[in-house]
Amino acid sequence: MKHIMLIGFMGSGKTTVGRQLAAAMKRPFIDMDAEIIKSEGMPITQIFSERGEEYFRKLETQLLQELSRNTVPMVISAGGGVPIQPQNQSCLKELGMVVLLQTSTDVLVERLQGDNSRPILHGGELHNKISELQRQREPIYGQVSDTVITTDRKTIEEIVQEIQARIQFS
Ligand code: S3P
């Protein structure tokens, strides 16, 4: 079994679920955003404002390529924009099993209200912004993923167990 890749919209719980899944499977956990923040020495909002989104997207692609050279099976949480870039899509699939966490717009709005750490959501009305981005991104998430887990009204433990069961039967 290769890596387990968690993908999904911002606020779908990739980092929280990924951390617990990795602990349950006794695997290392990598959060791509956290790796980029560490290597650049600044938060994502600052990377976007000082260097631009294109620069950030290049960092994501580079990191994904580095991870594909790592042979220790890990749980990896990918930023919400990673699957959207065409050049990342084959790499994601080659990395291992791609698990999509799917969360409703209303739950995402609740979770992301007042959060300033995601520059993609800055400005405009949050509900509209999220639903429009979901409309654009969900078909791509669906194409890239091997399995889809809905997360509304589930605890982190339930989601982790569901993913583990899917891995067993894959
Ligand atoms: C982004 C998602 C964020 C982060 C950046 C851009 C996106 O990650 O990579 O703010 O374009 O969806 P999370 O999905 O972990 O919030």
Side-chain angles (χ1 to χ4, degrees), residues 7-15 31-34 36 44-45 48 53 56-57 60 77-84 112 115 117-121 133 137 141:
I7 65 163
F9 204 83
M10 294 165 267
S12 58
K14 301 177 297 278
T15 303
D31 177 70
M32 289 186 64
D33 286 336
I36 290 174
I44 288 171
T45 40
F48 268 65
E53 177 173 353
F56 175 77
R57 299 301 178 196
E60 286 185 317
S77 152
V82 170
I84 308 307
L112 295 169
D115 179 310
S117 67
R118 272 102 167 181
I120 292 292
L121 298 176
L133 264 179
R137 288 178 168 192
Y141 288 157

PDB file of all heavy atoms in Angstrom, residues 7-15 31-34 36 44-45 48 53 56-57 60 77-84 112 115 117-121 133 137 141, ligand 1:
ATOM      1  N   ILE A   7      -7.876  14.565   0.030  1.00  0.00           N
ATOM      2  CA  ILE A   7      -8.163  15.792  -0.727  1.00  0.00           C
ATOM      3  C   ILE A   7      -9.563  16.283  -0.353  1.00  0.00           C
ATOM      4  O   ILE A   7     -10.352  15.545   0.255  1.00  0.00           O
ATOM      5  CB  ILE A   7      -8.047  15.586  -2.263  1.00  0.00           C
ATOM      6  CG1 ILE A   7      -9.120  14.612  -2.778  1.00  0.00           C
ATOM      7  CG2 ILE A   7      -6.657  15.125  -2.658  1.00  0.00           C
ATOM      8  CD1 ILE A   7      -9.325  14.680  -4.300  1.00  0.00           C
ATOM      9  N   GLY A   8      -9.860  17.509  -0.734  1.00  0.00           N
ATOM     10  CA  GLY A   8     -11.188  18.060  -0.458  1.00  0.00           C
ATOM     11  C   GLY A   8     -11.109  19.561  -0.254  1.00  0.00           C
ATOM     12  O   GLY A   8     -10.015  20.150  -0.218  1.00  0.00           O
ATOM     13  N   PHE A   9     -12.277  20.159  -0.115  1.00  0.00           N
ATOM     14  CA  PHE A   9     -12.364  21.614  -0.002  1.00  0.00           C
ATOM     15  C   PHE A   9     -11.738  22.088   1.317  1.00  0.00           C
ATOM     16  O   PHE A   9     -11.680  21.329   2.292  1.00  0.00           O
ATOM     17  CB  PHE A   9     -13.831  22.041  -0.063  1.00  0.00           C
ATOM     18  CG  PHE A   9     -14.004  23.460  -0.535  1.00  0.00           C
ATOM     19  CD1 PHE A   9     -14.002  23.763  -1.885  1.00  0.00           C
ATOM     20  CD2 PHE A   9     -14.150  24.493   0.376  1.00  0.00           C
ATOM     21  CE1 PHE A   9     -14.147  25.070  -2.328  1.00  0.00           C
ATOM     22  CE2 PHE A   9     -14.295  25.805  -0.047  1.00  0.00           C
ATOM     23  CZ  PHE A   9     -14.298  26.098  -1.404  1.00  0.00           C
ATOM     24  N   MET A  10     -11.306  23.349   1.348  1.00  0.00           N
ATOM     25  CA  MET A  10     -10.853  23.961   2.596  1.00  0.00           C
ATOM     26  C   MET A  10     -11.917  23.771   3.666  1.00  0.00           C
ATOM     27  O   MET A  10     -13.098  23.996   3.395  1.00  0.00           O
ATOM     28  CB  MET A  10     -10.676  25.489   2.403  1.00  0.00           C
ATOM     29  CG  MET A  10      -9.592  25.859   1.452  1.00  0.00           C
ATOM     30  SD  MET A  10      -9.732  27.603   0.930  1.00  0.00           S
ATOM     31  CE  MET A  10     -10.690  27.445  -0.567  1.00  0.00           C
ATOM     32  N   GLY A  11     -11.514  23.341   4.833  1.00  0.00           N
ATOM     33  CA  GLY A  11     -12.476  23.185   5.929  1.00  0.00           C
ATOM     34  C   GLY A  11     -13.168  21.831   5.959  1.00  0.00           C
ATOM     35  O   GLY A  11     -14.008  21.598   6.825  1.00  0.00           O
ATOM     36  N   SER A  12     -12.787  20.932   5.043  1.00  0.00           N
ATOM     37  CA  SER A  12     -13.453  19.611   5.032  1.00  0.00           C
ATOM     38  C   SER A  12     -12.873  18.683   6.090  1.00  0.00           C
ATOM     39  O   SER A  12     -13.396  17.580   6.280  1.00  0.00           O
ATOM     40  CB  SER A  12     -13.370  18.973   3.639  1.00  0.00           C
ATOM     41  OG  SER A  12     -12.022  18.836   3.255  1.00  0.00           O
ATOM     42  N   GLY A  13     -11.790  19.095   6.738  1.00  0.00           N
ATOM     43  CA  GLY A  13     -11.251  18.305   7.856  1.00  0.00           C
ATOM     44  C   GLY A  13     -10.049  17.447   7.495  1.00  0.00           C
ATOM     45  O   GLY A  13      -9.682  16.547   8.247  1.00  0.00           O
ATOM     46  N   LYS A  14      -9.409  17.755   6.367  1.00  0.00           N
ATOM     47  CA  LYS A  14      -8.290  16.918   5.904  1.00  0.00           C
ATOM     48  C   LYS A  14      -7.166  16.804   6.935  1.00  0.00           C
ATOM     49  O   LYS A  14      -6.634  15.722   7.163  1.00  0.00           O
ATOM     50  CB  LYS A  14      -7.716  17.472   4.585  1.00  0.00           C
ATOM     51  CG  LYS A  14      -8.717  17.547   3.451  1.00  0.00           C
ATOM     52  CD  LYS A  14      -8.095  18.161   2.207  1.00  0.00           C
ATOM     53  CE  LYS A  14      -7.624  19.585   2.353  1.00  0.00           C
ATOM     54  NZ  LYS A  14      -8.615  20.644   2.223  1.00  0.00           N
ATOM     55  N   THR A  15      -6.829  17.928   7.550  1.00  0.00           N
ATOM     56  CA  THR A  15      -5.703  17.908   8.489  1.00  0.00           C
ATOM     57  C   THR A  15      -6.053  17.138   9.761  1.00  0.00           C
ATOM     58  O   THR A  15      -5.288  16.280  10.214  1.00  0.00           O
ATOM     59  CB  THR A  15      -5.276  19.357   8.840  1.00  0.00           C
ATOM     60  OG1 THR A  15      -4.964  20.019   7.620  1.00  0.00           O
ATOM     61  CG2 THR A  15      -4.080  19.392   9.763  1.00  0.00           C
ATOM     62  N   ASP A  31       1.210  17.283   6.342  1.00  0.00           N
ATOM     63  CA  ASP A  31       0.216  18.262   5.909  1.00  0.00           C
ATOM     64  C   ASP A  31       0.931  19.196   4.928  1.00  0.00           C
ATOM     65  O   ASP A  31       1.895  19.877   5.307  1.00  0.00           O
ATOM     66  CB  ASP A  31      -0.306  19.033   7.124  1.00  0.00           C
ATOM     67  CG  ASP A  31      -1.288  20.098   6.721  1.00  0.00           C
ATOM     68  OD1 ASP A  31      -2.395  19.743   6.304  1.00  0.00           O
ATOM     69  OD2 ASP A  31      -0.934  21.287   6.783  1.00  0.00           O
ATOM     70  N   MET A  32       0.513  19.201   3.668  1.00  0.00           N
ATOM     71  CA  MET A  32       1.262  19.952   2.654  1.00  0.00           C
ATOM     72  C   MET A  32       1.345  21.441   2.979  1.00  0.00           C
ATOM     73  O   MET A  32       2.400  22.051   2.809  1.00  0.00           O
ATOM     74  CB  MET A  32       0.639  19.728   1.264  1.00  0.00           C
ATOM     75  CG  MET A  32       0.891  18.321   0.739  1.00  0.00           C
ATOM     76  SD  MET A  32       0.304  18.084  -0.968  1.00  0.00           S
ATOM     77  CE  MET A  32       1.356  19.219  -1.891  1.00  0.00           C
ATOM     78  N   ASP A  33       0.229  22.025   3.452  1.00  0.00           N
ATOM     79  CA  ASP A  33       0.264  23.460   3.799  1.00  0.00           C
ATOM     80  C   ASP A  33       1.306  23.729   4.885  1.00  0.00           C
ATOM     81  O   ASP A  33       2.078  24.690   4.799  1.00  0.00           O
ATOM     82  CB  ASP A  33      -1.108  23.930   4.310  1.00  0.00           C
ATOM     83  CG  ASP A  33      -2.133  24.061   3.207  1.00  0.00           C
ATOM     84  OD1 ASP A  33      -1.742  24.239   2.052  1.00  0.00           O
ATOM     85  OD2 ASP A  33      -3.334  24.000   3.518  1.00  0.00           O
ATOM     86  N   ALA A  34       1.305  22.857   5.910  1.00  0.00           N
ATOM     87  CA  ALA A  34       2.236  23.062   7.034  1.00  0.00           C
ATOM     88  C   ALA A  34       3.686  22.950   6.555  1.00  0.00           C
ATOM     89  O   ALA A  34       4.559  23.714   6.997  1.00  0.00           O
ATOM     90  CB  ALA A  34       1.947  22.038   8.135  1.00  0.00           C
ATOM     91  N   ILE A  36       4.796  23.704   3.568  1.00  0.00           N
ATOM     92  CA  ILE A  36       5.124  24.913   2.787  1.00  0.00           C
ATOM     93  C   ILE A  36       5.349  26.103   3.732  1.00  0.00           C
ATOM     94  O   ILE A  36       6.292  26.876   3.562  1.00  0.00           O
ATOM     95  CB  ILE A  36       4.016  25.188   1.745  1.00  0.00           C
ATOM     96  CG1 ILE A  36       4.064  24.112   0.657  1.00  0.00           C
ATOM     97  CG2 ILE A  36       4.150  26.593   1.140  1.00  0.00           C
ATOM     98  CD1 ILE A  36       2.945  24.156  -0.374  1.00  0.00           C
ATOM     99  N   ILE A  44       0.553  31.257   4.798  1.00  0.00           N
ATOM    100  CA  ILE A  44       0.111  31.208   3.389  1.00  0.00           C
ATOM    101  C   ILE A  44      -0.396  32.566   2.907  1.00  0.00           C
ATOM    102  O   ILE A  44      -0.116  32.970   1.778  1.00  0.00           O
ATOM    103  CB  ILE A  44      -0.933  30.088   3.213  1.00  0.00           C
ATOM    104  CG1 ILE A  44      -0.210  28.740   3.315  1.00  0.00           C
ATOM    105  CG2 ILE A  44      -1.660  30.192   1.860  1.00  0.00           C
ATOM    106  CD1 ILE A  44      -1.087  27.526   3.370  1.00  0.00           C
ATOM    107  N   THR A  45      -1.098  33.296   3.762  1.00  0.00           N
ATOM    108  CA  THR A  45      -1.595  34.628   3.357  1.00  0.00           C
ATOM    109  C   THR A  45      -0.422  35.525   2.932  1.00  0.00           C
ATOM    110  O   THR A  45      -0.530  36.274   1.959  1.00  0.00           O
ATOM    111  CB  THR A  45      -2.349  35.330   4.509  1.00  0.00           C
ATOM    112  OG1 THR A  45      -1.656  35.087   5.710  1.00  0.00           O
ATOM    113  CG2 THR A  45      -3.771  34.862   4.642  1.00  0.00           C
ATOM    114  N   PHE A  48       1.000  34.424  -0.453  1.00  0.00           N
ATOM    115  CA  PHE A  48       0.132  34.933  -1.532  1.00  0.00           C
ATOM    116  C   PHE A  48       0.366  36.434  -1.737  1.00  0.00           C
ATOM    117  O   PHE A  48       0.474  36.888  -2.872  1.00  0.00           O
ATOM    118  CB  PHE A  48      -1.344  34.697  -1.184  1.00  0.00           C
ATOM    119  CG  PHE A  48      -1.915  33.399  -1.712  1.00  0.00           C
ATOM    120  CD1 PHE A  48      -1.452  32.174  -1.255  1.00  0.00           C
ATOM    121  CD2 PHE A  48      -2.955  33.391  -2.631  1.00  0.00           C
ATOM    122  CE1 PHE A  48      -1.994  30.973  -1.712  1.00  0.00           C
ATOM    123  CE2 PHE A  48      -3.513  32.202  -3.097  1.00  0.00           C
ATOM    124  CZ  PHE A  48      -3.030  30.989  -2.635  1.00  0.00           C
ATOM    125  N   GLU A  53      -0.031  33.956  -5.937  1.00  0.00           N
ATOM    126  CA  GLU A  53      -0.612  32.604  -5.933  1.00  0.00           C
ATOM    127  C   GLU A  53       0.187  31.642  -6.823  1.00  0.00           C
ATOM    128  O   GLU A  53       0.379  30.481  -6.475  1.00  0.00           O
ATOM    129  CB  GLU A  53      -2.083  32.656  -6.383  1.00  0.00           C
ATOM    130  CG  GLU A  53      -2.676  31.262  -6.445  1.00  0.00           C
ATOM    131  CD  GLU A  53      -4.174  31.210  -6.716  1.00  0.00           C
ATOM    132  OE1 GLU A  53      -4.822  32.270  -6.738  1.00  0.00           O
ATOM    133  OE2 GLU A  53      -4.666  30.081  -6.898  1.00  0.00           O
ATOM    134  N   PHE A  56       2.956  30.116  -5.018  1.00  0.00           N
ATOM    135  CA  PHE A  56       2.469  29.116  -4.056  1.00  0.00           C
ATOM    136  C   PHE A  56       2.127  27.813  -4.779  1.00  0.00           C
ATOM    137  O   PHE A  56       2.443  26.719  -4.318  1.00  0.00           O
ATOM    138  CB  PHE A  56       1.249  29.674  -3.306  1.00  0.00           C
ATOM    139  CG  PHE A  56       0.609  28.664  -2.382  1.00  0.00           C
ATOM    140  CD1 PHE A  56       1.180  28.351  -1.157  1.00  0.00           C
ATOM    141  CD2 PHE A  56      -0.571  28.020  -2.741  1.00  0.00           C
ATOM    142  CE1 PHE A  56       0.598  27.408  -0.306  1.00  0.00           C
ATOM    143  CE2 PHE A  56      -1.165  27.084  -1.906  1.00  0.00           C
ATOM    144  CZ  PHE A  56      -0.574  26.772  -0.677  1.00  0.00           C
ATOM    145  N   ARG A  57       1.473  27.920  -5.932  1.00  0.00           N
ATOM    146  CA  ARG A  57       1.081  26.718  -6.677  1.00  0.00           C
ATOM    147  C   ARG A  57       2.305  25.933  -7.142  1.00  0.00           C
ATOM    148  O   ARG A  57       2.281  24.710  -7.203  1.00  0.00           O
ATOM    149  CB  ARG A  57       0.194  27.090  -7.874  1.00  0.00           C
ATOM    150  CG  ARG A  57      -1.117  27.784  -7.508  1.00  0.00           C
ATOM    151  CD  ARG A  57      -1.988  26.938  -6.606  1.00  0.00           C
ATOM    152  NE  ARG A  57      -3.225  27.613  -6.198  1.00  0.00           N
ATOM    153  CZ  ARG A  57      -3.993  27.205  -5.189  1.00  0.00           C
ATOM    154  NH1 ARG A  57      -3.665  26.163  -4.464  1.00  0.00           N
ATOM    155  NH2 ARG A  57      -5.089  27.851  -4.883  1.00  0.00           N
ATOM    156  N   GLU A  60       3.512  23.909  -4.259  1.00  0.00           N
ATOM    157  CA  GLU A  60       2.681  22.718  -4.056  1.00  0.00           C
ATOM    158  C   GLU A  60       3.116  21.592  -5.007  1.00  0.00           C
ATOM    159  O   GLU A  60       3.262  20.443  -4.596  1.00  0.00           O
ATOM    160  CB  GLU A  60       1.206  23.043  -4.320  1.00  0.00           C
ATOM    161  CG  GLU A  60       0.535  23.865  -3.248  1.00  0.00           C
ATOM    162  CD  GLU A  60      -0.962  24.057  -3.512  1.00  0.00           C
ATOM    163  OE1 GLU A  60      -1.356  24.318  -4.673  1.00  0.00           O
ATOM    164  OE2 GLU A  60      -1.736  23.970  -2.563  1.00  0.00           O
ATOM    165  N   SER A  77      -2.097  15.093   3.746  1.00  0.00           N
ATOM    166  CA  SER A  77      -3.238  15.973   3.547  1.00  0.00           C
ATOM    167  C   SER A  77      -2.839  17.049   2.536  1.00  0.00           C
ATOM    168  O   SER A  77      -1.863  17.781   2.741  1.00  0.00           O
ATOM    169  CB  SER A  77      -3.613  16.552   4.916  1.00  0.00           C
ATOM    170  OG  SER A  77      -4.203  17.790   4.763  1.00  0.00           O
ATOM    171  N   ALA A  78      -3.557  17.108   1.409  1.00  0.00           N
ATOM    172  CA  ALA A  78      -3.222  18.056   0.333  1.00  0.00           C
ATOM    173  C   ALA A  78      -4.068  19.324   0.479  1.00  0.00           C
ATOM    174  O   ALA A  78      -5.252  19.232   0.821  1.00  0.00           O
ATOM    175  CB  ALA A  78      -3.489  17.407  -1.018  1.00  0.00           C
ATOM    176  N   GLY A  79      -3.510  20.474   0.197  1.00  0.00           N
ATOM    177  CA  GLY A  79      -4.294  21.715   0.194  1.00  0.00           C
ATOM    178  C   GLY A  79      -5.432  21.595  -0.823  1.00  0.00           C
ATOM    179  O   GLY A  79      -5.315  20.855  -1.813  1.00  0.00           O
ATOM    180  N   GLY A  80      -6.511  22.343  -0.569  1.00  0.00           N
ATOM    181  CA  GLY A  80      -7.707  22.239  -1.407  1.00  0.00           C
ATOM    182  C   GLY A  80      -7.486  22.540  -2.882  1.00  0.00           C
ATOM    183  O   GLY A  80      -8.266  22.101  -3.734  1.00  0.00           O
ATOM    184  N   GLY A  81      -6.406  23.270  -3.218  1.00  0.00           N
ATOM    185  CA  GLY A  81      -6.166  23.631  -4.614  1.00  0.00           C
ATOM    186  C   GLY A  81      -5.276  22.634  -5.347  1.00  0.00           C
ATOM    187  O   GLY A  81      -5.130  22.709  -6.567  1.00  0.00           O
ATOM    188  N   VAL A  82      -4.667  21.705  -4.616  1.00  0.00           N
ATOM    189  CA  VAL A  82      -3.689  20.790  -5.232  1.00  0.00           C
ATOM    190  C   VAL A  82      -4.283  19.984  -6.399  1.00  0.00           C
ATOM    191  O   VAL A  82      -3.692  19.925  -7.479  1.00  0.00           O
ATOM    192  CB  VAL A  82      -3.054  19.853  -4.160  1.00  0.00           C
ATOM    193  CG1 VAL A  82      -2.238  18.740  -4.803  1.00  0.00           C
ATOM    194  CG2 VAL A  82      -2.181  20.662  -3.198  1.00  0.00           C
ATOM    195  N   PRO A  83      -5.477  19.365  -6.234  1.00  0.00           N
ATOM    196  CA  PRO A  83      -5.989  18.540  -7.337  1.00  0.00           C
ATOM    197  C   PRO A  83      -6.428  19.350  -8.562  1.00  0.00           C
ATOM    198  O   PRO A  83      -6.665  18.791  -9.631  1.00  0.00           O
ATOM    199  CB  PRO A  83      -7.223  17.832  -6.724  1.00  0.00           C
ATOM    200  CG  PRO A  83      -7.114  18.040  -5.256  1.00  0.00           C
ATOM    201  CD  PRO A  83      -6.361  19.314  -5.065  1.00  0.00           C
ATOM    202  N   ILE A  84      -6.558  20.673  -8.395  1.00  0.00           N
ATOM    203  CA  ILE A  84      -7.112  21.511  -9.463  1.00  0.00           C
ATOM    204  C   ILE A  84      -6.085  21.739 -10.573  1.00  0.00           C
ATOM    205  O   ILE A  84      -6.427  21.918 -11.731  1.00  0.00           O
ATOM    206  CB  ILE A  84      -7.608  22.867  -8.890  1.00  0.00           C
ATOM    207  CG1 ILE A  84      -8.552  22.630  -7.699  1.00  0.00           C
ATOM    208  CG2 ILE A  84      -8.259  23.753  -9.942  1.00  0.00           C
ATOM    209  CD1 ILE A  84      -9.714  21.674  -7.993  1.00  0.00           C
ATOM    210  N   LEU A 112     -15.686  28.027   8.254  1.00  0.00           N
ATOM    211  CA  LEU A 112     -14.702  28.965   7.692  1.00  0.00           C
ATOM    212  C   LEU A 112     -15.018  30.431   7.991  1.00  0.00           C
ATOM    213  O   LEU A 112     -14.214  31.307   7.713  1.00  0.00           O
ATOM    214  CB  LEU A 112     -14.591  28.735   6.177  1.00  0.00           C
ATOM    215  CG  LEU A 112     -14.024  27.362   5.787  1.00  0.00           C
ATOM    216  CD1 LEU A 112     -14.196  27.093   4.298  1.00  0.00           C
ATOM    217  CD2 LEU A 112     -12.543  27.244   6.159  1.00  0.00           C
ATOM    218  N   ASP A 115     -12.447  32.929   9.503  1.00  0.00           N
ATOM    219  CA  ASP A 115     -11.097  32.395   9.292  1.00  0.00           C
ATOM    220  C   ASP A 115     -10.392  33.278   8.264  1.00  0.00           C
ATOM    221  O   ASP A 115     -10.891  33.447   7.154  1.00  0.00           O
ATOM    222  CB  ASP A 115     -11.218  30.960   8.771  1.00  0.00           C
ATOM    223  CG  ASP A 115      -9.870  30.316   8.483  1.00  0.00           C
ATOM    224  OD1 ASP A 115      -9.041  30.939   7.778  1.00  0.00           O
ATOM    225  OD2 ASP A 115      -9.649  29.204   8.936  1.00  0.00           O
ATOM    226  N   SER A 117      -7.159  32.751   7.325  1.00  0.00           N
ATOM    227  CA  SER A 117      -5.914  32.110   6.896  1.00  0.00           C
ATOM    228  C   SER A 117      -5.977  31.572   5.461  1.00  0.00           C
ATOM    229  O   SER A 117      -4.993  31.058   4.964  1.00  0.00           O
ATOM    230  CB  SER A 117      -5.560  30.970   7.856  1.00  0.00           C
ATOM    231  OG  SER A 117      -6.517  29.932   7.747  1.00  0.00           O
ATOM    232  N   ARG A 118      -7.167  31.677   4.813  1.00  0.00           N
ATOM    233  CA  ARG A 118      -7.281  31.166   3.444  1.00  0.00           C
ATOM    234  C   ARG A 118      -7.490  32.320   2.465  1.00  0.00           C
ATOM    235  O   ARG A 118      -8.615  32.791   2.281  1.00  0.00           O
ATOM    236  CB  ARG A 118      -8.458  30.195   3.333  1.00  0.00           C
ATOM    237  CG  ARG A 118      -8.104  28.758   3.662  1.00  0.00           C
ATOM    238  CD  ARG A 118      -8.535  28.375   5.024  1.00  0.00           C
ATOM    239  NE  ARG A 118      -8.462  26.931   5.217  1.00  0.00           N
ATOM    240  CZ  ARG A 118      -8.812  26.338   6.355  1.00  0.00           C
ATOM    241  NH1 ARG A 118      -9.249  27.045   7.376  1.00  0.00           N
ATOM    242  NH2 ARG A 118      -8.698  25.048   6.474  1.00  0.00           N
ATOM    243  N   PRO A 119      -6.406  32.781   1.798  1.00  0.00           N
ATOM    244  CA  PRO A 119      -6.512  33.961   0.928  1.00  0.00           C
ATOM    245  C   PRO A 119      -7.524  33.794  -0.204  1.00  0.00           C
ATOM    246  O   PRO A 119      -8.110  34.769  -0.674  1.00  0.00           O
ATOM    247  CB  PRO A 119      -5.088  34.135   0.374  1.00  0.00           C
ATOM    248  CG  PRO A 119      -4.338  32.907   0.735  1.00  0.00           C
ATOM    249  CD  PRO A 119      -5.031  32.257   1.877  1.00  0.00           C
ATOM    250  N   ILE A 120      -7.741  32.550  -0.655  1.00  0.00           N
ATOM    251  CA  ILE A 120      -8.679  32.282  -1.755  1.00  0.00           C
ATOM    252  C   ILE A 120     -10.092  32.730  -1.372  1.00  0.00           C
ATOM    253  O   ILE A 120     -10.908  33.037  -2.239  1.00  0.00           O
ATOM    254  CB  ILE A 120      -8.669  30.753  -2.046  1.00  0.00           C
ATOM    255  CG1 ILE A 120      -7.330  30.331  -2.641  1.00  0.00           C
ATOM    256  CG2 ILE A 120      -9.818  30.304  -2.930  1.00  0.00           C
ATOM    257  CD1 ILE A 120      -7.068  30.865  -4.037  1.00  0.00           C
ATOM    258  N   LEU A 121     -10.379  32.780  -0.065  1.00  0.00           N
ATOM    259  CA  LEU A 121     -11.740  33.126   0.371  1.00  0.00           C
ATOM    260  C   LEU A 121     -11.882  34.579   0.796  1.00  0.00           C
ATOM    261  O   LEU A 121     -12.960  35.001   1.206  1.00  0.00           O
ATOM    262  CB  LEU A 121     -12.164  32.202   1.536  1.00  0.00           C
ATOM    263  CG  LEU A 121     -12.233  30.709   1.225  1.00  0.00           C
ATOM    264  CD1 LEU A 121     -12.566  29.921   2.477  1.00  0.00           C
ATOM    265  CD2 LEU A 121     -13.267  30.428   0.125  1.00  0.00           C
ATOM    266  N   LEU A 133     -16.930  28.145  -5.840  1.00  0.00           N
ATOM    267  CA  LEU A 133     -15.680  27.384  -5.932  1.00  0.00           C
ATOM    268  C   LEU A 133     -15.948  25.886  -5.900  1.00  0.00           C
ATOM    269  O   LEU A 133     -15.313  25.117  -6.625  1.00  0.00           O
ATOM    270  CB  LEU A 133     -14.765  27.729  -4.743  1.00  0.00           C
ATOM    271  CG  LEU A 133     -13.700  28.791  -4.952  1.00  0.00           C
ATOM    272  CD1 LEU A 133     -12.916  29.000  -3.671  1.00  0.00           C
ATOM    273  CD2 LEU A 133     -12.742  28.395  -6.082  1.00  0.00           C
ATOM    274  N   ARG A 137     -14.847  23.138  -8.551  1.00  0.00           N
ATOM    275  CA  ARG A 137     -13.828  22.162  -8.155  1.00  0.00           C
ATOM    276  C   ARG A 137     -14.347  20.744  -7.982  1.00  0.00           C
ATOM    277  O   ARG A 137     -13.594  19.785  -8.163  1.00  0.00           O
ATOM    278  CB  ARG A 137     -13.185  22.605  -6.834  1.00  0.00           C
ATOM    279  CG  ARG A 137     -12.278  23.793  -7.011  1.00  0.00           C
ATOM    280  CD  ARG A 137     -11.703  24.221  -5.692  1.00  0.00           C
ATOM    281  NE  ARG A 137     -10.622  25.170  -5.856  1.00  0.00           N
ATOM    282  CZ  ARG A 137      -9.807  25.533  -4.877  1.00  0.00           C
ATOM    283  NH1 ARG A 137      -9.986  25.048  -3.661  1.00  0.00           N
ATOM    284  NH2 ARG A 137      -8.844  26.389  -5.116  1.00  0.00           N
ATOM    285  N   TYR A 141     -12.345  17.153  -8.210  1.00  0.00           N
ATOM    286  CA  TYR A 141     -12.092  16.301  -7.031  1.00  0.00           C
ATOM    287  C   TYR A 141     -12.618  14.886  -7.300  1.00  0.00           C
ATOM    288  O   TYR A 141     -11.973  13.900  -6.985  1.00  0.00           O
ATOM    289  CB  TYR A 141     -12.810  16.850  -5.791  1.00  0.00           C
ATOM    290  CG  TYR A 141     -12.256  18.120  -5.183  1.00  0.00           C
ATOM    291  CD1 TYR A 141     -13.072  18.937  -4.397  1.00  0.00           C
ATOM    292  CD2 TYR A 141     -10.922  18.490  -5.341  1.00  0.00           C
ATOM    293  CE1 TYR A 141     -12.589  20.095  -3.799  1.00  0.00           C
ATOM    294  CE2 TYR A 141     -10.427  19.658  -4.751  1.00  0.00           C
ATOM    295  CZ  TYR A 141     -11.274  20.454  -3.980  1.00  0.00           C
ATOM    296  OH  TYR A 141     -10.794  21.594  -3.384  1.00  0.00           O
TER     297      TYR A 141
HETATM  298  C1  S3P B   1      -6.267  26.506  -0.827  1.00  0.00           C
HETATM  299  C2  S3P B   1      -6.433  25.689   0.267  1.00  0.00           C
HETATM  300  C3  S3P B   1      -5.633  25.818   1.493  1.00  0.00           C
HETATM  301  C4  S3P B   1      -4.257  26.402   1.149  1.00  0.00           C
HETATM  302  C5  S3P B   1      -4.383  27.680   0.375  1.00  0.00           C
HETATM  303  C6  S3P B   1      -5.172  27.514  -0.917  1.00  0.00           C
HETATM  304  C7  S3P B   1      -7.173  26.330  -2.000  1.00  0.00           C
HETATM  305  O1  S3P B   1      -5.466  24.544   2.108  1.00  0.00           O
HETATM  306  O2  S3P B   1      -3.475  25.459   0.449  1.00  0.00           O
HETATM  307  O3  S3P B   1      -4.998  28.625   1.206  1.00  0.00           O
HETATM  308  O4  S3P B   1      -6.905  26.874  -3.087  1.00  0.00           O
HETATM  309  O5  S3P B   1      -8.190  25.610  -1.840  1.00  0.00           O
HETATM  310  P1  S3P B   1      -6.628  23.788   2.972  1.00  0.00           P
HETATM  311  O6  S3P B   1      -7.494  23.079   1.974  1.00  0.00           O
HETATM  312  O7  S3P B   1      -5.849  22.833   3.804  1.00  0.00           O
HETATM  313  O8  S3P B   1      -7.339  24.831   3.739  1.00  0.00           O
END
